[in-house]
């Protein structure tokens, strides 16, 4: 073993603002890795691409973005950007629950042939379902479910107006079209981790009947926990749905899932809630369905052209709007930050990523093992890079925010 092999530390490219909550983890990373944190001006797309071309930051092996609100100034992580990354990049760990801004399949193709596969990681909730963004998004979904059944935006706006006539009108007329959500059917498109938590909450709080469509069916045990009914196609589920809830992830350059055709299959007067991604909904079709009465109400935490909200929807008293704050609590930010750093640490020290998104897309390749030693987190040395995880062991994260 040469002395130089022991002293070389992997380099991590740190995107965005300083760590706020988990200083102990950051200190641990700083002891193991060389961390480069470019100023915000270098993250704007033209400057960022130029620095990658010139290899300003050297042969970094990981990219870390612990805060969702900063570090994304370069915009879409498309092929143009990804192909400029060093070949030895193993992991991109970013805060957030969705990953529609990154071409994860392109990122999976990137890297050297010796266990240098490039993961795109999105930090979802930790293993405990009681902590982190999953529960926060689930709570926001309940808020919107209550609102669309009970006409809460109409009531809220009338009270806030300060107009006694508006107050009295809502007081007397709102109950005519309001309903309790109890025993109503909730049709969920996408019963992943967040979708399932919403099902648990709606079932426990309101006794709602849970219907769902997903590309992966839950186990019988998980279905029994919320008395869920699975549908092979969304077309079969929609006619039996009182409230359609969208909880499926959007993909890079993805197309809308909720279209005029989909909305027309719902019973007349149904409700709609979206806590997934605004790009998954054809907002023209949504406006038309609300105007014609095909939908009686909608609740949207996400919007097609954020931060711009469709003004037609904003002007409707039967539409509840929030500012993509489903996961917007301090606890979520703490968990995102922690997971971004721990995912980097896991991968650079030869262990499994905690929340891989595209591990299933990476082609496992074999090659003569490099004999140079690689430093590990515990201070010991290992001959050669660790083998890639077996495909069967990769957990595919299917989250939304």
């Amino acid at each position: 073993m040469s002395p130089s092999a022991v002293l070389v530390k992997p380099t991590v490219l740190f995107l965005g603002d300083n760590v706020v909550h988990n200083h102990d983890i950051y200190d641990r990373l700083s002891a193991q890795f060389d961390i480069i944190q470019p100023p915000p001006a270098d993250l704007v797309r033209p400057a960022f691409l130029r620095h990658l071309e010139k290899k300003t930051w050297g042969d970094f092996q990981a990219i870390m973005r612990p805060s969702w609100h900063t570090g994304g100034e370069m915009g879409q992580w498309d092929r143009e950007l990804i192909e400029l990354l060093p070949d030895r990049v193993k992991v991109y760990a970013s805060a957030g629950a969705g990953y529609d801004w990154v071409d994860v399949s392109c990122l999976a193709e990137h890297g050297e042939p010796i266990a240098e596969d490039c993961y795109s990681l999105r930090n979802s909730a930790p293993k405990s379902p009681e902590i982190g963004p999953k529960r926060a998004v689930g709570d926001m979904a309940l808020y919107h479910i209550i609102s669309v059944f009970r006409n809460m935006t109409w009531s809220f706006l009338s009270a806030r107006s300060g107009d006694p006539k508006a107050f009295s009108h809502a007081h007397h007329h709102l109950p005519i079209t309001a309903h309790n959500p109890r025993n109503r059917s909730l049709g969920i498109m996408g019963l992943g981790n967040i979708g399932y938590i919403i099902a648990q909450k709606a079932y426990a709080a309101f006794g709602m009947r849970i219907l769902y469509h997903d590309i992966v069916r839950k186990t019988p045990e998980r279905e029994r926990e919320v008395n869920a009914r699975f549908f092979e196609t969304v077309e079969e589920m929609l006619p039996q749905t009182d409230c359609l809830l969208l909880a499926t992830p959007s993909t890079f350059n993805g197309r809308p899932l909720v279209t005029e055709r989909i909305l027309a299959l719902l019973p007349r007067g149904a409700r709609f809630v979206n806590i997934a991604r605004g790009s998954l909904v054809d907002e023209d079709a949504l406006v038309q369905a609300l105007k014609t009465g095909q939908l009686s109400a909608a609740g949207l935490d996400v919007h097609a052209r954020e931060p711009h909200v469709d003004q037609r929807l904003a002007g409707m008293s039967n539409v509840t709007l929030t500012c993509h704050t489903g996961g917007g609590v301090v606890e979520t930010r703490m968990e995102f930050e922690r997971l971004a750093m721990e995912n980097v640490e896991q991968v650079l020290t030869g262990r499994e990523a905690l929340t891989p998104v595209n591990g299933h897309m990476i082609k496992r390749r074999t090659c003569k093992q490099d004999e140079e030693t690689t430093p590990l987190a515990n201070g010991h040395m290992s001959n050669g890079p660790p083998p890639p995880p077996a495909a069967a062991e990769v957990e595919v994260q299917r989250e939304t925010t």
Side-chain angles (χ1 to χ4, degrees):
M1 181 192 310
S2 65
S4 61
V6 177
L7 296 175
V8 172
K9 291 182 179 180
T11 300
V12 176
L13 186 65
F14 184 139
L15 305 180
D17 288 347
N18 293 335
V19 166
V20 176
H21 303 287
N22 299 276
H23 295 286
D24 55 333
I25 301 176
Y26 182 77
D27 290 342
R28 192 170 72 226
L29 261 64
S30 298
Q32 299 175 80
F33 314 122
D34 287 327
I35 300 178
I36 299 174
Q37 187 176 7
D42 288 348
L43 302 184
V44 178
R45 190 174 184 91
F48 192 69
L49 296 180
R50 186 168 59 252
H51 283 296
L52 289 178
E53 286 180 310
K54 293 182 177 180
K55 299 189 180 299
T56 303
W57 304 305
D59 194 22
F60 56 88
Q61 291 152 284
I63 307 162
M64 179 174 74
R65 182 185 174 192
S67 172
W68 173 245
H69 297 285
T70 62
E73 291 83 350
M74 69 292 299
Q76 296 285 320
W77 281 66
D78 51 17
R79 186 170 294 276
E80 177 191 31
L81 190 156
I82 291 169
E83 289 184 345
L84 295 176
L85 296 175
D87 286 339
R88 291 179 60 81
V89 170
K90 296 181 180 180
V91 55
Y92 179 4
S94 174
Y99 46 92
D100 50 341
W101 52 272
V102 57
D103 188 339
V104 293
S105 61
C106 179
L107 202 56
E109 299 169 6
H110 187 83
E112 289 184 343
I114 307 177
E116 301 291 357
D117 300 313
C118 185
Y119 289 91
S120 168
L121 300 180
R122 295 294 287 156
N123 296 333
S124 303
K127 297 303 180 184
S128 169
E130 299 296 336
I131 309 172
K134 298 177 188 175
R135 291 290 169 185
V137 176
D139 293 343
M140 179 64 82
L142 282 196
Y143 167 83
H144 279 281
I145 291 170
I146 293 171
S147 185
V148 297
F149 275 100
R150 295 291 306 273
N151 297 334
M152 298 304 290
T153 293
W154 179 6
S155 182
F156 170 81
L157 292 174
S158 299
R160 290 295 295 267
S161 71
D163 182 352
K165 290 183 178 179
F167 185 101
S168 296
H169 184 266
H171 177 71
H172 289 101
H173 294 279
L174 182 152
I176 296 173
T177 55
H179 291 275
N180 283 322
R182 179 162 298 279
N183 297 325
R184 299 280 176 167
S185 60
L186 181 66
I188 303 177
M189 290 178 65
L191 203 71
N193 291 323
I194 288 178
Y196 191 80
I197 284 174
I198 295 170
Q200 288 177 312
K201 288 176 176 288
Y203 179 68
F206 307 132
M208 296 190 81
R209 294 181 288 114
I210 306 302
L211 319 177
Y212 78 99
H213 167 71
D214 199 298
I215 57 173
V216 179
R217 183 172 182 173
K218 292 295 183 185
T219 63
E221 293 75 19
R222 297 290 274 174
E223 288 184 344
R224 282 195 296 269
E225 286 177 12
V226 294
N227 198 24
R229 180 182 174 189
F230 173 73
F231 289 83
E232 291 283 353
T233 68
V234 70
E235 288 81 4
E236 293 176 295
M237 179 183 77
L238 292 175
Q240 304 180 51
T241 298
D242 295 320
C243 179
L244 175 63
L245 186 138
L246 190 57
T248 189
S250 178
T251 58
F252 190 73
N253 292 329
R255 297 179 179 179
L257 294 179
V258 177
T259 61
E260 180 182 4
R261 183 184 71 85
I262 290 296
L263 294 173
L265 293 174
L266 290 164
R268 185 169 178 81
R271 278 87 175 162
F272 174 66
V273 170
N274 185 12
I275 50 79
R277 282 291 184 269
S279 60
L280 294 171
V281 177
D282 180 342
E283 289 189 343
D284 290 334
L286 179 61
V287 168
Q288 188 63 22
L290 288 161
K291 285 183 175 180
T292 62
Q294 174 62 16
L295 285 179
S296 62
L300 310 173
D301 183 51
V302 290
H303 310 274
R305 289 172 289 277
E306 295 179 10
H308 303 285
V309 174
D310 190 302
Q311 290 304 296
R312 297 169 297 176
L313 295 169
M316 295 181 177
S317 62
N318 59 341
V319 177
T320 302
L321 303 173
T322 48
C323 300
H324 199 156
T325 50
V329 295
V330 171
E331 291 79 5
T332 295
R333 299 188 72 167
M334 293 172 66
E335 290 302 318
F336 280 165
E337 184 183 272
R338 177 184 68 80
L339 277 170
M341 293 188 287
E342 289 187 347
N343 269 305
V344 166
E345 183 179 41
Q346 287 284 121
V347 174
L348 291 188
T349 55
R351 293 173 288 174
E352 287 282 353
L354 297 173
T355 55
V357 166
N358 63 348
H360 63 298
M361 300 178 182
I362 297 170
K363 294 180 180 179
R364 302 302 171 189
R365 294 162 292 181
T366 59
C367 191
K368 187 177 184 297
Q369 194 175 44
D370 191 342
E371 294 299 326
E372 183 175 308
T373 55
T374 304
L376 297 181
N378 59 9
H380 294 291
M381 310 303 294
S382 171
N383 288 327
E393 297 174 348
V394 174
E395 175 186 350
V396 182
Q397 199 70 32
R398 302 188 303 110
E399 287 299 315
T400 63
T401 186

mmCIF file of all heavy atoms in Angstrom, residues 313-345:
data_model
loop_
_atom_site.group_PDB
_atom_site.id
_atom_site.type_symbol
_atom_site.label_atom_id
_atom_site.label_comp_id
_atom_site.label_asym_id
_atom_site.label_seq_id
_atom_site.Cartn_x
_atom_site.Cartn_y
_atom_site.Cartn_z
ATOM 1 N N LEU A 313 -58.374 28.945 -12.124
ATOM 2 C CA LEU A 313 -58.571 28.134 -10.917
ATOM 3 C C LEU A 313 -58.576 29.008 -9.669
ATOM 4 O O LEU A 313 -59.347 28.778 -8.727
ATOM 5 C CB LEU A 313 -57.472 27.082 -10.817
ATOM 6 C CG LEU A 313 -57.464 26.013 -11.915
ATOM 7 C CD1 LEU A 313 -56.183 25.196 -11.872
ATOM 8 C CD2 LEU A 313 -58.681 25.098 -11.776
ATOM 9 N N ALA A 314 -57.709 30.034 -9.654
ATOM 10 C CA ALA A 314 -57.622 30.912 -8.485
ATOM 11 C C ALA A 314 -58.913 31.681 -8.255
ATOM 12 O O ALA A 314 -59.210 32.079 -7.117
ATOM 13 C CB ALA A 314 -56.454 31.888 -8.652
ATOM 14 N N GLY A 315 -59.687 31.866 -9.308
ATOM 15 C CA GLY A 315 -60.929 32.619 -9.177
ATOM 16 C C GLY A 315 -62.132 31.777 -8.806
ATOM 17 O O GLY A 315 -63.242 32.307 -8.693
ATOM 18 N N MET A 316 -61.950 30.476 -8.596
ATOM 19 C CA MET A 316 -63.081 29.588 -8.290
ATOM 20 C C MET A 316 -63.152 29.320 -6.790
ATOM 21 O O MET A 316 -62.171 28.895 -6.167
ATOM 22 C CB MET A 316 -62.922 28.260 -9.044
ATOM 23 C CG MET A 316 -63.002 28.399 -10.548
ATOM 24 S SD MET A 316 -62.823 26.778 -11.368
ATOM 25 C CE MET A 316 -63.054 27.221 -13.086
ATOM 26 N N SER A 317 -64.336 29.533 -6.211
ATOM 27 C CA SER A 317 -64.503 29.317 -4.768
ATOM 28 C C SER A 317 -64.591 27.845 -4.400
ATOM 29 O O SER A 317 -64.553 27.500 -3.217
ATOM 30 C CB SER A 317 -65.762 30.039 -4.275
ATOM 31 O OG SER A 317 -66.919 29.521 -4.912
ATOM 32 N N ASN A 318 -64.709 26.966 -5.399
ATOM 33 C CA ASN A 318 -64.732 25.527 -5.121
ATOM 34 C C ASN A 318 -63.381 24.863 -5.386
ATOM 35 O O ASN A 318 -63.295 23.638 -5.495
ATOM 36 C CB ASN A 318 -65.823 24.835 -5.953
ATOM 37 C CG ASN A 318 -65.632 25.032 -7.453
ATOM 38 O OD1 ASN A 318 -64.922 25.942 -7.877
ATOM 39 N ND2 ASN A 318 -66.278 24.186 -8.246
ATOM 40 N N VAL A 319 -62.339 25.667 -5.474
ATOM 41 C CA VAL A 319 -60.980 25.153 -5.673
ATOM 42 C C VAL A 319 -60.102 25.616 -4.526
ATOM 43 O O VAL A 319 -59.987 26.820 -4.262
ATOM 44 C CB VAL A 319 -60.390 25.640 -7.017
ATOM 45 C CG1 VAL A 319 -58.950 25.148 -7.169
ATOM 46 C CG2 VAL A 319 -61.240 25.140 -8.175
ATOM 47 N N THR A 320 -59.495 24.661 -3.830
ATOM 48 C CA THR A 320 -58.566 24.964 -2.750
ATOM 49 C C THR A 320 -57.146 24.930 -3.294
ATOM 50 O O THR A 320 -56.751 23.959 -3.938
ATOM 51 C CB THR A 320 -58.702 23.928 -1.610
ATOM 52 O OG1 THR A 320 -60.048 23.934 -1.140
ATOM 53 C CG2 THR A 320 -57.760 24.259 -0.464
ATOM 54 N N LEU A 321 -56.392 25.978 -3.040
ATOM 55 C CA LEU A 321 -55.040 26.101 -3.570
ATOM 56 C C LEU A 321 -54.036 26.316 -2.447
ATOM 57 O O LEU A 321 -54.267 27.144 -1.553
ATOM 58 C CB LEU A 321 -54.955 27.277 -4.550
ATOM 59 C CG LEU A 321 -55.910 27.264 -5.749
ATOM 60 C CD1 LEU A 321 -55.809 28.559 -6.520
ATOM 61 C CD2 LEU A 321 -55.604 26.073 -6.654
ATOM 62 N N THR A 322 -52.947 25.581 -2.490
ATOM 63 C CA THR A 322 -51.819 25.816 -1.589
ATOM 64 C C THR A 322 -50.534 25.854 -2.417
ATOM 65 O O THR A 322 -50.527 25.497 -3.596
ATOM 66 C CB THR A 322 -51.732 24.729 -0.491
ATOM 67 O OG1 THR A 322 -51.853 23.431 -1.091
ATOM 68 C CG2 THR A 322 -52.836 24.902 0.543
ATOM 69 N N CYS A 323 -49.464 26.303 -1.803
ATOM 70 C CA CYS A 323 -48.233 26.667 -2.526
ATOM 71 C C CYS A 323 -47.179 25.568 -2.531
ATOM 72 O O CYS A 323 -46.013 25.813 -2.180
ATOM 73 C CB CYS A 323 -47.653 27.945 -1.924
ATOM 74 S SG CYS A 323 -48.756 29.355 -2.002
ATOM 75 N N HIS A 324 -47.553 24.338 -2.920
ATOM 76 C CA HIS A 324 -46.603 23.226 -2.957
ATOM 77 C C HIS A 324 -45.885 23.109 -1.609
ATOM 78 O O HIS A 324 -44.665 23.040 -1.526
ATOM 79 C CB HIS A 324 -45.597 23.405 -4.093
ATOM 80 C CG HIS A 324 -44.905 22.127 -4.472
ATOM 81 N ND1 HIS A 324 -44.355 21.918 -5.719
ATOM 82 C CD2 HIS A 324 -44.668 20.978 -3.770
ATOM 83 C CE1 HIS A 324 -43.804 20.718 -5.773
ATOM 84 N NE2 HIS A 324 -43.984 20.131 -4.604
ATOM 85 N N THR A 325 -46.678 23.090 -0.562
ATOM 86 C CA THR A 325 -46.145 23.030 0.804
ATOM 87 C C THR A 325 -46.562 21.749 1.511
ATOM 88 O O THR A 325 -46.611 21.696 2.740
ATOM 89 C CB THR A 325 -46.602 24.256 1.609
ATOM 90 O OG1 THR A 325 -48.032 24.425 1.469
ATOM 91 C CG2 THR A 325 -45.907 25.520 1.130
ATOM 92 N N GLY A 326 -46.860 20.713 0.739
ATOM 93 C CA GLY A 326 -47.270 19.450 1.343
ATOM 94 C C GLY A 326 -46.265 18.919 2.345
ATOM 95 O O GLY A 326 -46.621 18.448 3.425
ATOM 96 N N GLY A 327 -44.994 18.972 1.998
ATOM 97 C CA GLY A 327 -43.953 18.504 2.903
ATOM 98 C C GLY A 327 -43.282 19.629 3.648
ATOM 99 O O GLY A 327 -42.234 19.424 4.276
ATOM 100 N N GLY A 328 -43.879 20.824 3.610
ATOM 101 C CA GLY A 328 -43.216 22.020 4.113
ATOM 102 C C GLY A 328 -43.261 22.205 5.606
ATOM 103 O O GLY A 328 -43.967 23.089 6.115
ATOM 104 N N VAL A 329 -42.504 21.386 6.323
ATOM 105 C CA VAL A 329 -42.350 21.545 7.771
ATOM 106 C C VAL A 329 -40.863 21.411 8.116
ATOM 107 O O VAL A 329 -40.080 20.869 7.335
ATOM 108 C CB VAL A 329 -43.172 20.492 8.553
ATOM 109 C CG1 VAL A 329 -44.662 20.688 8.324
ATOM 110 C CG2 VAL A 329 -42.766 19.081 8.165
ATOM 111 N N VAL A 330 -40.503 21.918 9.277
ATOM 112 C CA VAL A 330 -39.091 21.880 9.698
ATOM 113 C C VAL A 330 -38.569 20.451 9.732
ATOM 114 O O VAL A 330 -37.439 20.171 9.320
ATOM 115 C CB VAL A 330 -38.929 22.558 11.080
ATOM 116 C CG1 VAL A 330 -37.518 22.338 11.619
ATOM 117 C CG2 VAL A 330 -39.229 24.047 10.982
ATOM 118 N N GLU A 331 -39.403 19.537 10.216
ATOM 119 C CA GLU A 331 -38.960 18.147 10.329
ATOM 120 C C GLU A 331 -38.584 17.564 8.971
ATOM 121 O O GLU A 331 -37.642 16.778 8.847
ATOM 122 C CB GLU A 331 -40.067 17.304 10.973
ATOM 123 C CG GLU A 331 -40.311 17.603 12.437
ATOM 124 C CD GLU A 331 -41.147 18.848 12.681
ATOM 125 O OE1 GLU A 331 -41.638 19.454 11.686
ATOM 126 O OE2 GLU A 331 -41.327 19.218 13.851
ATOM 127 N N THR A 332 -39.323 17.945 7.928
ATOM 128 C CA THR A 332 -38.995 17.470 6.584
ATOM 129 C C THR A 332 -37.642 17.986 6.136
ATOM 130 O O THR A 332 -36.818 17.236 5.593
ATOM 131 C CB THR A 332 -40.076 17.934 5.590
ATOM 132 O OG1 THR A 332 -41.310 17.292 5.924
ATOM 133 C CG2 THR A 332 -39.697 17.565 4.161
ATOM 134 N N ARG A 333 -37.385 19.257 6.360
ATOM 135 C CA ARG A 333 -36.108 19.840 5.940
ATOM 136 C C ARG A 333 -34.941 19.179 6.668
ATOM 137 O O ARG A 333 -33.871 18.951 6.089
ATOM 138 C CB ARG A 333 -36.119 21.345 6.169
ATOM 139 C CG ARG A 333 -37.204 22.048 5.383
ATOM 140 C CD ARG A 333 -37.099 23.551 5.464
ATOM 141 N NE ARG A 333 -35.959 24.046 4.690
ATOM 142 C CZ ARG A 333 -35.770 25.310 4.385
ATOM 143 N NH1 ARG A 333 -36.632 26.222 4.801
ATOM 144 N NH2 ARG A 333 -34.731 25.694 3.687
ATOM 145 N N MET A 334 -35.150 18.872 7.935
ATOM 146 C CA MET A 334 -34.104 18.191 8.696
ATOM 147 C C MET A 334 -33.804 16.814 8.115
ATOM 148 O O MET A 334 -32.639 16.413 7.986
ATOM 149 C CB MET A 334 -34.526 18.065 10.165
ATOM 150 C CG MET A 334 -34.606 19.383 10.906
ATOM 151 S SD MET A 334 -35.324 19.215 12.570
ATOM 152 C CE MET A 334 -34.051 18.234 13.368
ATOM 153 N N GLU A 335 -34.862 16.086 7.746
ATOM 154 C CA GLU A 335 -34.681 14.742 7.211
ATOM 155 C C GLU A 335 -34.071 14.771 5.817
ATOM 156 O O GLU A 335 -33.214 13.945 5.483
ATOM 157 C CB GLU A 335 -36.014 14.000 7.191
ATOM 158 C CG GLU A 335 -36.540 13.641 8.564
ATOM 159 C CD GLU A 335 -35.567 12.781 9.332
ATOM 160 O OE1 GLU A 335 -34.974 11.864 8.728
ATOM 161 O OE2 GLU A 335 -35.382 13.024 10.532
ATOM 162 N N PHE A 336 -34.512 15.701 4.971
ATOM 163 C CA PHE A 336 -33.911 15.834 3.645
ATOM 164 C C PHE A 336 -32.411 16.081 3.751
ATOM 165 O O PHE A 336 -31.603 15.471 3.045
ATOM 166 C CB PHE A 336 -34.550 17.001 2.896
ATOM 167 C CG PHE A 336 -35.875 16.681 2.264
ATOM 168 C CD1 PHE A 336 -36.701 17.709 1.825
ATOM 169 C CD2 PHE A 336 -36.308 15.382 2.090
ATOM 170 C CE1 PHE A 336 -37.923 17.439 1.229
ATOM 171 C CE2 PHE A 336 -37.519 15.098 1.498
ATOM 172 C CZ PHE A 336 -38.334 16.134 1.063
ATOM 173 N N GLU A 337 -32.052 17.002 4.615
ATOM 174 C CA GLU A 337 -30.649 17.361 4.785
ATOM 175 C C GLU A 337 -29.839 16.161 5.267
ATOM 176 O O GLU A 337 -28.759 15.858 4.749
ATOM 177 C CB GLU A 337 -30.557 18.512 5.780
ATOM 178 C CG GLU A 337 -29.166 19.067 5.985
ATOM 179 C CD GLU A 337 -29.155 20.149 7.044
ATOM 180 O OE1 GLU A 337 -29.371 21.327 6.700
ATOM 181 O OE2 GLU A 337 -28.939 19.822 8.234
ATOM 182 N N ARG A 338 -30.390 15.464 6.256
ATOM 183 C CA ARG A 338 -29.687 14.297 6.805
ATOM 184 C C ARG A 338 -29.502 13.220 5.742
ATOM 185 O O ARG A 338 -28.405 12.664 5.566
ATOM 186 C CB ARG A 338 -30.470 13.722 7.988
ATOM 187 C CG ARG A 338 -29.857 12.464 8.585
ATOM 188 C CD ARG A 338 -30.711 11.877 9.686
ATOM 189 N NE ARG A 338 -31.968 11.344 9.204
ATOM 190 C CZ ARG A 338 -32.117 10.161 8.624
ATOM 191 N NH1 ARG A 338 -31.052 9.375 8.434
ATOM 192 N NH2 ARG A 338 -33.303 9.749 8.236
ATOM 193 N N LEU A 339 -30.571 12.923 5.004
ATOM 194 C CA LEU A 339 -30.496 11.849 4.026
ATOM 195 C C LEU A 339 -29.561 12.176 2.866
ATOM 196 O O LEU A 339 -28.899 11.286 2.331
ATOM 197 C CB LEU A 339 -31.893 11.531 3.498
ATOM 198 C CG LEU A 339 -32.725 10.593 4.381
ATOM 199 C CD1 LEU A 339 -34.159 10.543 3.893
ATOM 200 C CD2 LEU A 339 -32.124 9.203 4.398
ATOM 201 N N ALA A 340 -29.517 13.447 2.465
ATOM 202 C CA ALA A 340 -28.586 13.816 1.393
ATOM 203 C C ALA A 340 -27.157 13.472 1.795
ATOM 204 O O ALA A 340 -26.401 12.872 1.020
ATOM 205 C CB ALA A 340 -28.705 15.311 1.082
ATOM 206 N N MET A 341 -26.797 13.829 2.997
ATOM 207 C CA MET A 341 -25.423 13.581 3.448
ATOM 208 C C MET A 341 -25.179 12.096 3.707
ATOM 209 O O MET A 341 -24.119 11.561 3.350
ATOM 210 C CB MET A 341 -25.136 14.404 4.708
ATOM 211 C CG MET A 341 -25.112 15.904 4.437
ATOM 212 S SD MET A 341 -24.557 16.887 5.848
ATOM 213 C CE MET A 341 -25.988 16.767 6.927
ATOM 214 N N GLU A 342 -26.139 11.413 4.301
ATOM 215 C CA GLU A 342 -25.937 9.997 4.607
ATOM 216 C C GLU A 342 -25.923 9.138 3.350
ATOM 217 O O GLU A 342 -25.229 8.121 3.302
ATOM 218 C CB GLU A 342 -27.010 9.523 5.590
ATOM 219 C CG GLU A 342 -26.812 10.105 6.988
ATOM 220 C CD GLU A 342 -27.765 9.519 8.011
ATOM 221 O OE1 GLU A 342 -28.751 8.852 7.606
ATOM 222 O OE2 GLU A 342 -27.527 9.727 9.215
ATOM 223 N N ASN A 343 -26.694 9.509 2.317
ATOM 224 C CA ASN A 343 -26.621 8.772 1.056
ATOM 225 C C ASN A 343 -25.240 8.881 0.440
ATOM 226 O O ASN A 343 -24.684 7.898 -0.067
ATOM 227 C CB ASN A 343 -27.679 9.301 0.080
ATOM 228 C CG ASN A 343 -29.001 8.559 0.185
ATOM 229 O OD1 ASN A 343 -29.030 7.341 0.065
ATOM 230 N ND2 ASN A 343 -30.077 9.279 0.415
ATOM 231 N N VAL A 344 -24.657 10.088 0.461
ATOM 232 C CA VAL A 344 -23.302 10.268 -0.056
ATOM 233 C C VAL A 344 -22.317 9.425 0.734
ATOM 234 O O VAL A 344 -21.471 8.716 0.168
ATOM 235 C CB VAL A 344 -22.902 11.759 -0.016
ATOM 236 C CG1 VAL A 344 -21.405 11.927 -0.211
ATOM 237 C CG2 VAL A 344 -23.652 12.528 -1.096
ATOM 238 N N GLU A 345 -22.417 9.470 2.037
ATOM 239 C CA GLU A 345 -21.502 8.703 2.880
ATOM 240 C C GLU A 345 -21.634 7.207 2.608
ATOM 241 O O GLU A 345 -20.620 6.487 2.507
ATOM 242 C CB GLU A 345 -21.783 8.996 4.353
ATOM 243 C CG GLU A 345 -20.822 8.301 5.312
ATOM 244 C CD GLU A 345 -21.124 8.646 6.754
ATOM 245 O OE1 GLU A 345 -22.317 8.708 7.116
ATOM 246 O OE2 GLU A 345 -20.171 8.848 7.517
#
